Amino acid sequence: LAKTTQPISMDSYEGQEVNITCSHNNIATNDYITWYQQFPSQGPRFIIQGYKTKVTNEVASLFIPADRKSSTLSLPRVSLSDTAVYYCLVGDGGGADGLTFGKGTHLIIQP
Amino acid sequence: DTGVSQDPRHKITKRGQNVTFRCDPISEHNRLYWYRQTLGQGPEFLTYFQNEAQLEKSRLLSDRFSAERPKGSFSTLEIQRTEQGDSAMYLCASSRDRGPDRYEQYFGPGTRLTVT
């Protein structure tokens, strides 16, 4: 069971690039890395998913080094509305082992 | 289809009463998940279904909790003899079971349970 470790909280300012790193030292060969965003009183929302190297979509980039023991979610030019909790999950999509959210990283964006 | 829906959105009950929540997943999704979330914590996995089959249950799911997904469509989560510790947000999510987007869960708005 791949366990993840993230910073509890981070602060940044509008317009900055924010990088949130997740450690997953015992990631398995078949595991993918998935990130979710959650606002208060809402369910989590999928952001991005990757297996290795770099993945980019319209809202974020995900950087995964060759050893895959960590991953970094990059949010370009953040705004106040990016204030949320961000969760990193690791699993192979085949069962509940990839469904552990942890406490996530509370990102606070200031003006 | 507009997404995952849950009903009710809020439920207040007295300790010892039974409650039932409903989740309607995205129609083409054959996986359905239940989570529980308390203040300041991430969602905790409770159970999940592949079509109508309940494949895994967390140790958090005591014998007072039961979930069903008849015909592989909507799902219900019942809590019997509620306790104050059951107060939480109950989240439902759905996803496909294959393909590159099988890791992408779509969450409903949740049902907030308060046990008094």
Side-chain angles (χ1 to χ4, degrees), chain B residues 9-61:
Chain B
R9 294 291 306 276
H10 303 273
K11 178 70 177 179
I12 300 174
T13 191
K14 292 184 177 181
R15 187 179 54 177
Q17 298 295 304
N18 299 343
V19 294
T20 300
F21 310 140
R22 175 178 171 126
C23 171
D24 286 273
I26 293 173
S27 57
E28 62 264 31
H29 287 178
N30 47 11
R31 281 197 178 172
L32 185 148
Y33 312 81
W34 284 100
Y35 294 85
R36 179 176 68 188
Q37 186 171 27
T38 54
L39 195 62
Q41 303 295 316
E44 298 173 297
F45 168 76
L46 293 178
T47 188
Y48 91 95
F49 292 83
Q50 172 92 8
N51 300 311
E52 67 275 11
Q54 188 174 15
L55 294 189
E56 289 198 47
K57 294 192 289 186
S58 163
R59 289 169 301 184
L60 295 173
L61 212 66

Side-chain angles (χ1 to χ4, degrees), chain A residues 30 32 34 36 38 41-46 49 87 89 91-97 99 101-103, chain B residues 9 31 33 35 37 40-43 45 48 56 89 91 97 100-105 107-109 112:
Chain A
N30 294 332
Y32 276 70
T34 310
Y36 286 83
Q38 187 177 28
S41 299
Q42 294 185 24
R45 182 177 73 99
F46 172 87
Q49 164 233 308
Y87 297 97
L89 279 71
D92 65 3
D97 64 340
L99 304 175
F101 275 75
K103 292 189 176 182
Chain B
R9 294 291 306 276
R31 281 197 178 172
Y33 312 81
Y35 294 85
Q37 186 171 27
Q41 303 295 316
F45 168 76
Y48 91 95
E56 289 198 47
M89 176 75 85
L91 293 163
D97 70 336
D101 58 352
R102 68 186 183 276
Y103 305 96
E104 185 172 346
Q105 297 179 60
F107 281 80
R112 182 167 297 283

Side-chain angles (χ1 to χ4, degrees), chain A residues 8-10 20 36-40 45 47 75 79-87 103-109:
Chain A
I8 295 295
S9 64
M10 294 180 66
I20 306 174
Y36 286 83
Q37 175 192 56
Q38 187 177 28
F39 298 112
R45 182 177 73 99
I47 302 174
L75 304 173
S79 64
L80 296 177
S81 63
D82 291 314
T83 294
V85 180
Y86 293 82
Y87 297 97
K103 292 189 176 182
T105 298
H106 188 192
L107 176 65
I108 298 173
I109 305 301

